[in-house]
Amino acid sequence: MRKIGSPSSTLVDTAKSVGVNKRLKSPLSVQIEVTGECTSECLHCYNFWREKGERSLQRIQSGILNEDNTVTIFKKLGEVEVLHVTITGGEPLSNYLVTLKSIELARSMDMGVGLNSNLVLLTKEKAGSLKKAGLSHVLTSILGPTAEIHDSITQRQGSFRKLMDGINAAHDAGIKVSTNMVVSQRNQEHVIKTAQVVAGLGIKNFMAAKAGCPGNCSDFSHLALSRPQLTKFLNDLCWVHKNLGLQVNTLEPIPLCGLYGVIRPELFISRKCNAGVTTATISYDGSMRPCSHLDMSYGNLLTEDFSTIWERMNPWSQLAHVPIECLKCDMLNMCGSGCRMEAKTTTGKIDGLDSATSFAHVAEMTEAIRISMKPADRILMKNFKTLKFRLRREDFGGVFISDNAQVFLDNKGFAVLSQLGSEVTYDLATMIIDWNGLDPEKFVSGLAHRRMVSSV
């Protein structure tokens, strides 16, 4: 557990320290799959509802979420204080009116909201309506630097051109776009060139995730990356960060020991599996799962109470699905043992080892990551500005969440931050609040290290 200062520290990074002693009353973020329909048929698609066998549009389940059920779901999310939702699918724009309604509902409840979309259906008019409803960010997929490569993976001619049109429509409407590249054997040689295309579009965030075996796929060997290929594409991302100035990450958790050979492993250590701990997914039929990739339903939100279903997911925060081999590892709390669906599809066991696990390099990676995580010197700030943030009370204290950070707080830290306003500038020498026995300079330095405040 990484802390600031003494053992009585008040701030803890959620990405590295969500554990058995800090069970949240509900997830911080939820993904809502508003449809199973999609305009693409990507070779690597993880959606478990696709039937086995030869792919075709007719073999993709075409359920959709209707407006009445959308209202029911959001009402229940509001009751348990979910702070952020991501609208996804399938392709959510193929259920456009419900996607628009979901964004409106989220913003009316003061929830953050994002959209995962391939953007092929986005028009100038729809982009304007989504922005007006409150959408500020969309994550899209770019699978190669050319139409030939991208379209061969989506199995839809013209999808690359439509993606470019959609990105332009989003930008024109004032919607921020981030990109993700799902990397498989089909495109692993094109990570840098794809990032160059992204940079040319004025996009600042470029994520890349290794393709994972879908739950209904018996043989993924023609797409799965080898260990050397995984290391290479992560090093390509390091090059992109250094030379193109893009923010990079991987959207799928990789065991930290599996980062051996990566030039800058610290760029990728924040992506931990938080399925059933800080996140959950709700499908178009109301079924609720710990993660979008997982094919394990824990109940139906349309017929059951949210808290009842969330309680069934408690084993995820109790490390019940972590491989026994990983339980004694010093990096477990930060690592989380990789992706559980990856383990299930490759070993047949939810508590099996992620295919990227490399026990031979645990000691080396432990030392490398400890060096990269060495606490920095205290940041002395006399004036500071808070970011746009939200707080949520928990039994152990509370949670701070913003676009830049998700941080657990003990009761003292929560009490102090509860007195601060969002996007307000403060002078440490003259501000009048109850510091609850904490050292003001040390506490604000901790906030700065966690990117919870900025200097003025």
Side-chain angles (χ1 to χ4, degrees):
M1 183 178 293
R2 186 187 177 204
K3 298 182 179 180
I4 295 176
S6 68
S8 61
S9 172
T10 62
L11 307 174
V12 182
D13 290 337
T14 58
K16 304 174 183 66
S17 62
V18 176
V20 295
N21 296 320
K22 290 182 171 60
R23 179 62 174 169
L24 295 168
K25 62 186 177 185
S26 66
L28 300 178
S29 62
V30 167
Q31 295 204 46
I32 303 176
E33 299 165 337
V34 299
T35 180
E37 297 177 347
C38 191
T39 54
S40 297
E41 202 175 351
C42 297
L43 294 171
H44 55 256
C45 182
Y46 64 79
N47 284 342
F48 68 88
W49 54 71
R50 292 177 183 266
E51 296 182 16
K52 293 181 180 179
E54 190 174 313
R55 291 173 183 253
S56 68
L57 274 180
Q58 289 70 38
R59 301 184 73 85
I60 302 174
Q61 192 165 332
S62 58
I64 63 171
L65 181 66
N66 64 41
E67 188 168 317
D68 288 343
N69 288 342
T70 301
V71 173
T72 298
I73 288 172
F74 271 92
K75 181 177 183 295
K76 293 186 176 183
L77 295 182
E79 289 171 349
V80 296
E81 297 182 78
V82 168
L83 298 179
H84 188 276
V85 295
T86 299
I87 312 304
T88 184
E91 171 46 52
L93 293 182
S94 66
N95 191 8
Y96 172 71
L97 292 179
V98 166
T99 293
L100 187 65
K101 180 69 173 180
S102 296
I103 294 168
E104 292 171 344
L105 286 169
R107 296 307 302 135
S108 71
M109 298 178 180
D110 198 27
M111 296 178 189
V113 60
L115 177 69
N116 291 352
S117 169
N118 62 29
L119 294 183
V120 301
L121 296 177
L122 189 66
T123 63
K124 179 179 179 180
E125 293 72 25
K126 287 181 178 179
S129 296
L130 293 172
K131 176 66 175 179
K132 184 177 180 181
L135 181 68
S136 59
H137 176 260
V138 61
L139 173 67
T140 194
S141 293
I142 181 168
L143 305 176
T146 66
E148 180 182 6
I149 296 169
H150 182 91
D151 293 358
S152 69
I153 296 173
T154 64
Q155 301 190 95
R156 290 294 178 270
Q157 282 295 115
S159 59
F160 184 82
R161 176 182 56 79
K162 292 176 181 177
L163 167 62
M164 296 298 111
D165 291 343
I167 289 173
N168 289 331
H171 280 163
D172 289 346
I175 298 172
K176 179 183 176 182
V177 178
S178 297
T179 56
N180 177 52
M181 180 181 183
V182 180
V183 183
S184 70
Q185 289 191 34
R186 293 290 294 267
N187 60 0
Q188 54 95 15
E189 293 290 343
H190 305 290
V191 173
I192 290 177
K193 288 184 178 179
T194 304
Q196 289 170 332
V197 171
V198 168
L201 292 167
I203 295 171
K204 304 300 183 183
N205 296 291
F206 178 67
M207 274 73 73
K210 70 181 180 70
C213 181
N216 57 11
C217 180
S218 59
D219 184 8
F220 201 63
S221 60
H222 63 297
L223 292 175
L225 296 180
S226 65
R227 189 180 302 278
Q229 288 172 332
L230 172 63
T231 302
K232 179 184 182 301
F233 109 69
L234 292 175
N235 279 330
D236 285 345
L237 285 183
C238 294
W239 186 96
V240 167
H241 180 67
K242 178 181 179 180
N243 294 282
L244 300 182
L246 300 184
Q247 294 299 312
V248 300
N249 208 333
T250 177
L251 293 184
E252 301 304 323
I254 299 171
L256 297 189
C257 58
L259 295 177
Y260 179 77
V262 177
I263 298 168
R264 292 195 58 190
E266 70 274 11
L267 293 176
F268 310 109
I269 62 177
S270 65
R271 187 60 60 178
K272 173 184 175 182
C273 175
N274 282 316
V277 181
T278 66
T279 66
T281 294
I282 301 165
S283 190
Y284 51 82
D285 62 0
S287 59
M288 191 164 151
R289 315 191 305 279
C291 166
S292 295
H293 290 234
L294 283 162
D295 54 0
M296 303 163 61
S297 174
Y298 283 70
N300 194 296
L301 193 57
L302 297 177
T303 58
E304 295 182 89
D305 177 71
F306 190 102
S307 297
T308 299
I309 303 173
W310 184 241
E311 180 61 27
R312 292 184 190 131
M313 293 186 189
N314 189 47
W316 287 87
S317 66
Q318 303 299 313
L319 309 181
H321 305 304
V322 170
I324 191 170
E325 299 95 325
C326 296
L327 288 174
K328 59 184 178 182
C329 180
D330 290 341
M331 292 194 295
L332 175 61
N333 198 41
M334 186 186 300
C335 171
S337 74
C339 176
R340 296 297 84 219
M341 193 60 179
E342 173 76 16
K344 183 180 178 183
T345 54
T346 55
T347 71
K349 300 185 298 181
I350 192 71
D351 60 352
L353 291 173
D354 184 299
S355 61
T357 304
S358 179
F359 287 130
H361 300 113
V362 167
E364 293 159 287
M365 291 312 302
T366 300
E367 182 62 20
I369 290 170
R370 279 178 177 166
I371 291 173
S372 70
M373 297 290 291
K374 184 179 179 180
D377 294 335
R378 182 183 295 189
I379 301 175
L380 299 177
M381 300 175 66
K382 298 301 182 183
N383 299 289
F384 66 92
K385 183 178 180 180
T386 58
L387 305 177
K388 184 177 182 180
F389 72 90
R390 292 189 64 189
L391 295 175
R392 192 177 83 179
R393 169 64 76 179
E394 299 286 345
D395 289 342
F396 54 80
V399 179
F400 169 102
I401 184 169
S402 70
D403 288 341
N404 290 341
Q406 291 182 5
V407 180
F408 278 9
L409 306 159
D410 69 10
N411 284 305
K412 284 188 176 182
F414 188 85
V416 171
L417 280 176
S418 295
Q419 301 171 68
L420 303 185
S422 181
E423 298 183 289
V424 176
T425 298
Y426 292 94
D427 182 339
L428 191 59
T430 60
M431 63 188 297
I432 301 175
I433 67 168
D434 180 2
W435 289 99
N436 211 7
L438 300 175
D439 179 332
E441 287 191 358
K442 186 176 181 180
F443 184 75
V444 173
S445 174
L447 298 181
H449 277 303
R450 294 300 188 275
R451 297 185 302 163
M452 299 165 70
V453 300
S454 62
S455 61
V456 178

